[in-house]
Amino acid sequence: ELLTFNFEVTQDAAEELDVSISATADDETGRVQLTIKRSADTEPLYGTLVLRRSSSRNNFSTWEDIKYEECDGTTFIKEVWYDNTIESGVWYKYGLQLLNTTYERGAFKSIKTPVMIIFDNMFLTTKDRQLKIKFDPNVSSYKRVLQESKTDTIGSQYPFIRRNGNVNYLSLPISGLVSFEMDEEELFTSKAELFGDNLSLYTNFNKKNRITQDHDIVREKMFRDKVIEFLYDGQPKIFRSATEGNYLVRVMDASLSPNATLGRRIWTFSATAHEIGECSIENLMKYNILEGKEL
């Protein structure tokens, strides 16, 4: 039987973007910096600006939306975005597209050369924060949790092993040293956030008493308290490392122990990261690590 398919060509799709996009890899922070530029005499943008991504995992065969920004007469000349959900050792391409008010897509602009990063550190990443585990990062084991049972019988030399249910997730015991000096770029927190309205008081106190960064016990404690809050908040995170890869996890059983030789100024944390789903764009939007949008 001959099948007939009717196609409709949209004539009033979104306008072509007068932009250029470039991508720069940053090994230290484990993210890609995306710079979007427009000419000075360009027209205002209306609609939704969409950042899209493709990877070598499927030979760049599919593109997925990873960021949306509403443009209500936007006239920006330059904007910088960061993608901190990438995986170490994977090539990525990025592109931009404009959606008009009826969500029709316009012409697509993409970078020509893909980018890749090999991470120097281990990361726990959420939408608003990234904890860089720079000092003594460790994964002590790699365990797949399965529902299996073993039955020994008198009449058989070997046991019967049965796998029950569909349970199959990764469990990673992780640990690392906690210090504010591992957060040089302040992607986890900042002095302004830690000290709030009292920042000038602490700054002047340290200056008056010649307290250097290496001996700032107060800041170490406040940073450590922020890390504890982060580990116990119960929110999904992306575990990212060069040797294990990317996993969407919940951190459980977190604990900290002090380093006695340093007067308990520096502490080490340990926790277990349990995989809670595939680390896909869909799930990252579901758990609000990437900003989703109903189209």
Side-chain angles (χ1 to χ4, degrees):
E1 182 181 356
L2 181 64
L3 298 178
T4 302
F5 297 93
N6 295 319
F7 293 91
E8 180 180 346
V9 178
T10 303
Q11 299 294 329
D12 55 347
E15 63 187 89
E16 183 175 352
L17 278 174
D18 55 337
V19 299
S20 64
I21 178 173
S22 60
T24 305
D26 186 346
D27 294 357
E28 185 65 26
T29 63
R31 58 183 185 167
V32 172
Q33 176 182 303
L34 300 159
T35 304
I36 298 96
K37 293 182 179 180
R38 305 178 73 209
S39 59
D41 58 349
T42 191
E43 294 293 324
L45 282 179
Y46 293 92
T48 304
L49 195 59
V50 183
L51 177 64
R52 312 195 77 196
R53 188 177 78 185
S54 184
S55 78
S56 59
R57 281 201 168 279
N58 56 12
N59 200 28
F60 307 104
S61 60
T62 60
W63 288 85
E64 296 179 284
D65 299 347
I66 64 170
K67 182 177 176 61
Y68 302 92
E69 182 163 314
E70 298 297 331
C71 300
D72 188 11
T74 301
T75 57
F76 72 85
I77 304 301
K78 177 181 177 181
E79 280 201 6
V80 177
W81 293 343
Y82 293 94
D83 182 9
N84 61 353
T85 66
I86 60 172
E87 184 174 351
S88 181
V90 177
W91 291 98
Y92 290 95
K93 288 182 179 180
Y94 295 88
L96 284 173
Q97 202 167 32
L98 187 66
L99 276 65
N100 62 21
T101 53
T102 58
Y103 299 116
E104 295 166 326
R105 294 177 181 260
F108 185 62
K109 295 284 186 73
S110 65
I111 62 173
K112 294 181 179 179
T113 305
V115 294
M116 182 185 72
I117 296 178
I118 302 294
F119 294 164
D120 293 329
N121 306 292
M122 199 161 71
F123 303 95
L124 286 173
T125 303
T126 64
K127 176 183 175 182
D128 302 316
R129 299 187 192 277
Q130 176 165 280
L131 180 64
K132 178 170 67 176
I133 308 169
K134 181 177 182 178
F135 306 126
D136 296 335
N138 186 44
V139 176
S140 59
S141 68
Y142 184 100
K143 179 183 178 182
R144 278 277 162 197
V145 179
L146 305 170
Q147 290 288 352
E148 294 180 321
S149 62
K150 180 175 71 72
T151 304
D152 296 313
T153 64
I154 298 176
S156 175
Q157 177 182 354
Y158 302 103
F160 292 98
I161 297 178
R162 296 178 178 85
R163 181 169 296 181
N164 305 315
N166 197 35
V167 175
N168 185 350
Y169 64 90
L170 184 67
S171 184
L172 289 169
I174 62 176
S175 62
L177 199 66
V178 176
S179 172
F180 68 80
E181 293 193 39
M182 68 188 189
D183 189 35
E184 309 101 315
E185 302 85 5
E186 297 191 337
L187 298 181
F188 180 72
T189 188
S190 64
K191 289 180 69 174
E193 181 183 22
L194 291 177
F195 296 107
D197 295 337
N198 299 315
L199 177 59
S200 60
L201 292 175
Y202 280 99
T203 301
N204 293 333
F205 180 87
N206 287 355
K207 186 180 297 185
K208 180 179 179 180
N209 293 276
R210 298 181 180 180
I211 298 174
T212 65
Q213 179 168 298
D214 294 336
H215 298 87
D216 195 343
I217 300 175
V218 174
R219 186 179 174 189
E220 285 288 7
K221 178 188 181 302
M222 297 186 75
F223 182 86
R224 184 170 66 249
D225 289 343
K226 201 72 179 177
V227 172
I228 294 173
E229 178 185 326
F230 178 74
L231 295 175
Y232 277 99
D233 65 9
Q235 298 301 312
K237 299 171 176 60
I238 312 174
F239 170 83
R240 304 192 297 141
S241 78
T243 50
E244 286 77 31
N246 280 22
Y247 295 97
L248 182 63
V249 301
R250 278 279 303 274
V251 176
M252 300 178 64
D253 304 319
S255 63
L256 288 94
S257 57
N259 188 323
T261 60
L262 297 176
R264 303 188 311 281
R265 292 198 302 269
I266 304 297
W267 294 52
T268 296
F269 87 91
S270 61
T272 303
H274 296 290
E275 187 180 20
I276 60 172
E278 181 185 357
C279 195
S280 62
I281 297 295
E282 181 182 2
N283 279 339
L284 295 184
M285 289 190 173
K286 173 184 175 181
Y287 291 110
N288 202 34
I289 296 174
L290 289 174
E291 296 183 23
K293 183 181 178 69
E294 292 290 336
L295 298 179

